[in-house]
Amino acid sequence: DGGITQSPKYLFRKEGQNVTLSCEQNLNHDAMYWYRQDPGQGLRLIYYSQIVNDFQKGDIAEGYSVSREKKESFPLTVTSAQKNPTAFYLCASSSGQGPWNKFGQGTRLTVV
Amino acid sequence: AQKVTQAQTEISVVEKEDVTLDCVYETRDTTYYLFWYKQPPSGELVFLIRRNSFDEQNEISGRYSWNFQKSTSSFNFTITASQVVDSAVYFCALSGGYGNKLVFGAGTILRVKS
């Protein structure tokens, strides 16, 4: 079955460290997205990419970076510049044929 | 700018009760899509329905039904005869234009008690 794999499921980071969240999809989807979820605020878009080697900032891109070197992969780096990184991060992908978003299981990042 | 409002932060019902989750949206796009997702405790978002702006027909899927009204910019979700397994966070979302980015509401926590 095709799907989206996010790893790890739980991640702990010390303050001042960068950390990279993995997102891989085998759905042959062109577009991929990163969302952040905080309690009571729904999901907010961090970055998105519609094709390989191209990506755009979402609503809350500050303190994050991404790359899209392969169609299947869209890793998210949470840098030390992100002031409140503790959150639940969800990766999604969609086909260029229509607004269909498939989500991964998420990574819960905690800064200790 | 696009916006989705889910005014109900949390709803508690007793099993077998019907429950309606409200969703109001704002957009200037003439073509847009509305979604409902369910988020169980595991965290993964489960797709429930997608509706485009040109299709105002209500939809029923088992115990689930959706009422889309463009005149009031609402896309409400009703669960009939609720069950404990329906307990989750439910998100309404909006997508319009190029890119398929989703704008989410804050979510409604549904607690169904036995």
Side-chain angles (χ1 to χ4, degrees), chain A residues 33 35 37 50 98-101, chain B residues 35 39 50 98-100 102:
Chain A
Y33 312 81
Y35 293 90
Q37 184 178 10
Q50 296 178 23
W100 176 272
N101 275 247
Chain B
F35 301 79
Q39 186 179 43
R50 178 181 75 242
Y98 184 67
N100 303 331
L102 290 172

Side-chain angles (χ1 to χ4, degrees), chain B residues 13-113:
Chain B
V13 298
V14 177
E15 208 170 17
K16 298 184 182 178
E17 282 186 28
D18 298 347
V19 58
T20 296
L21 283 60
D22 297 333
C23 174
V24 174
Y25 63 93
E26 297 176 26
T27 181
R28 293 182 179 178
D29 293 332
T30 54
T31 301
Y32 53 90
Y33 296 83
L34 294 163
F35 301 79
W36 276 96
Y37 286 88
K38 174 182 180 180
Q39 186 179 43
S42 62
E44 181 178 1
L45 261 67
V46 177
F47 168 83
L48 296 178
I49 189 172
R50 178 181 75 242
R51 174 68 68 213
N52 74 55
S53 53
F54 298 107
D55 183 2
E56 288 193 70
Q57 281 191 330
N58 292 331
E59 182 158 338
I60 298 175
S61 176
R63 297 184 297 109
Y64 295 169
S65 63
W66 292 269
N67 183 348
F68 176 29
Q69 292 192 339
K70 287 181 75 172
S71 61
T72 57
S73 297
S74 64
F75 187 44
N76 297 337
F77 172 32
T78 297
I79 302 175
T80 303
S82 60
Q83 300 176 1
V84 173
V85 293
D86 295 327
S87 297
V89 183
Y90 290 86
F91 290 99
C92 181
L94 168 69
S95 174
Y98 184 67
N100 303 331
K101 299 170 290 178
L102 290 172
V103 175
F104 284 86
T108 296
I109 301 171
L110 175 63
R111 303 188 195 279
V112 182
K113 303 175 184 177

Side-chain angles (χ1 to χ4, degrees), chain A residues 5-72:
Chain A
T5 301
Q6 289 188 243
S7 60
K9 190 172 183 178
Y10 299 96
L11 189 56
F12 296 89
R13 188 197 90 175
K14 293 183 179 180
E15 282 194 31
Q17 288 182 339
N18 293 353
V19 64
T20 298
L21 283 59
S22 170
C23 177
E24 304 275 336
Q25 55 100 358
N26 60 3
L27 300 163
N28 199 34
H29 282 173
D30 296 312
M32 296 186 74
Y33 312 81
W34 275 104
Y35 293 90
R36 168 178 171 146
Q37 184 178 10
D38 295 284
Q41 294 191 46
L43 281 73
R44 293 178 290 169
L45 183 65
I46 305 173
Y47 268 98
Y48 65 101
S49 166
Q50 296 178 23
I51 57 173
V52 174
N53 293 323
D54 186 48
F55 48 83
Q56 287 79 41
K57 294 181 179 180
D59 301 319
I60 55 167
E62 185 176 352
Y64 299 96
S65 66
V66 294
S67 63
R68 186 85 186 277
E69 297 177 1
K70 299 187 299 181
K71 188 175 185 178
E72 302 79 18

